[in-house]
Amino acid sequence: MADEYIDKDEPQIYGPHAAKKIIHVIGGMEALYHPVARHLATQIDQETATLKRVVSEGRTVKTTLRKGVVAKGPAMKHGRTVLRRFSKHLDGHAEGVIDRTRFFGDGGKLGSIGSSAPKILAALQNIAGVLKKKGSGVADAAGWQAQIEQAAADLEPGLTQTQLAHIERAQMTPEVVRARERWLQVYGAAKLIVEGVLRLHGKTDLMPKIFYDLAVPSGARVTEAPKDEITLDPRR
């Protein structure tokens, strides 16, 4: 049996275990193998560390994304409330005084701006800009401008954080894929080299003890290294 699929986290178990055993077993067979064993172990350790870093960065981005979503929630609700109140305020003006399309776009209705955070922010910023101009026709334009600018200022940081996290996460995913593929390539190459050495000495039975993934059931989700750290004597 063997673990047929090694996910992005399991290399943190398989990698260090294999690197240590390669040095002990292969490096302990003959002096000629010492540099080979060291080189293979170093390669595995380097790729394991790279994968760990990339995966960790990806998880940090996910945490940032969650925080951004939480942060913008109340601000979105407040932004909608301000827009709704402003729309009712416009309804109180005499007919023909206010051109609602200047504030809410085609149709001039509150519902036309959409309900997503980016659209709410865009609507708030647009309305604030219109209110700054002379001749908007809105009663207490300065007071409403201040309220709407504050609502936009409250919403923008959380929205920006979320958008950046989305972009970074999208860019991170290919990095994780590449790092995992590179790790599998190095780990697989080490297996072939080690197996070749073991075959020369008639010791291929040591393969599962060096490469732990060869010793676990297919489809297993490995979360820790083997507890029975067997000391292998390569000379026997």
Side-chain angles (χ1 to χ4, degrees):
M1 300 292 286
D3 189 351
E4 296 179 356
Y5 179 80
I6 299 176
D7 64 24
K8 67 182 185 302
D9 296 312
E10 290 173 326
Q12 302 309 316
I13 296 171
Y14 294 147
H17 179 80
K20 181 172 64 175
K21 292 300 184 184
I22 287 172
I23 291 176
H24 177 72
V25 178
I26 302 303
M29 284 182 168
E30 295 182 19
L32 178 66
Y33 298 150
H34 288 180
V36 175
R38 289 286 178 186
H39 179 71
L40 291 177
T42 298
Q43 290 290 100
I44 291 174
D45 284 340
Q46 287 177 345
E47 298 305 327
T48 301
T50 297
L51 181 56
K52 182 178 182 178
R53 174 183 58 78
V54 174
V55 170
S56 177
E57 288 173 355
R59 286 177 176 147
T60 299
V61 169
K62 288 181 181 179
T63 300
T64 301
L65 178 60
R66 285 194 294 271
K67 288 181 179 178
V69 170
V70 171
K72 75 179 181 183
M76 280 181 62
K77 184 177 180 180
H78 178 64
R80 289 195 193 99
T81 299
V82 171
L83 289 173
R84 200 159 43 240
R85 288 176 46 239
F86 179 69
S87 179
K88 289 182 178 179
H89 176 69
L90 295 183
D91 290 340
H93 290 69
E95 186 175 354
V97 172
I98 301 296
D99 179 5
R100 292 180 62 94
T101 62
R102 297 178 65 195
F103 301 99
F104 297 111
D106 294 342
K109 296 181 179 180
L110 177 62
S112 65
I113 67 172
S115 59
S116 68
K119 290 182 178 180
I120 291 172
L121 177 61
L124 290 168
Q125 291 172 334
N126 172 64
I127 292 171
V130 175
L131 291 174
K132 281 183 180 180
K133 299 176 182 177
K134 292 182 178 180
S136 68
V138 177
D140 190 20
W144 277 103
Q145 178 189 335
Q147 288 187 56
I148 290 170
E149 285 181 341
Q150 185 60 57
D154 292 341
L155 177 57
E156 189 170 14
L159 179 61
T160 301
Q161 183 183 41
T162 303
Q163 289 176 325
L164 289 174
H166 273 300
I167 294 170
E168 290 177 9
R169 186 171 65 173
Q171 293 174 339
M172 187 66 65
T173 300
E175 290 185 14
V176 173
V177 171
R178 286 194 296 270
R180 175 179 170 274
E181 289 178 347
R182 174 60 182 168
W183 184 90
L184 289 171
Q185 181 183 30
V186 170
Y187 190 69
K191 278 182 177 178
L192 294 175
I193 295 170
V194 169
E195 183 178 7
V197 173
L198 293 177
R199 283 189 180 279
L200 287 174
H201 294 266
K203 297 182 181 294
T204 55
D205 60 301
L206 295 182
M207 281 291 288
K209 298 184 184 297
I210 299 173
F211 299 97
Y212 182 46
D213 64 294
L214 298 178
V216 301
S218 175
R221 180 70 172 83
V222 178
T223 58
E224 59 182 0
K227 295 179 181 179
D228 56 336
E229 282 291 322
I230 303 173
T231 301
L232 305 176
D233 187 348
R235 294 167 296 181
R236 294 182 180 178

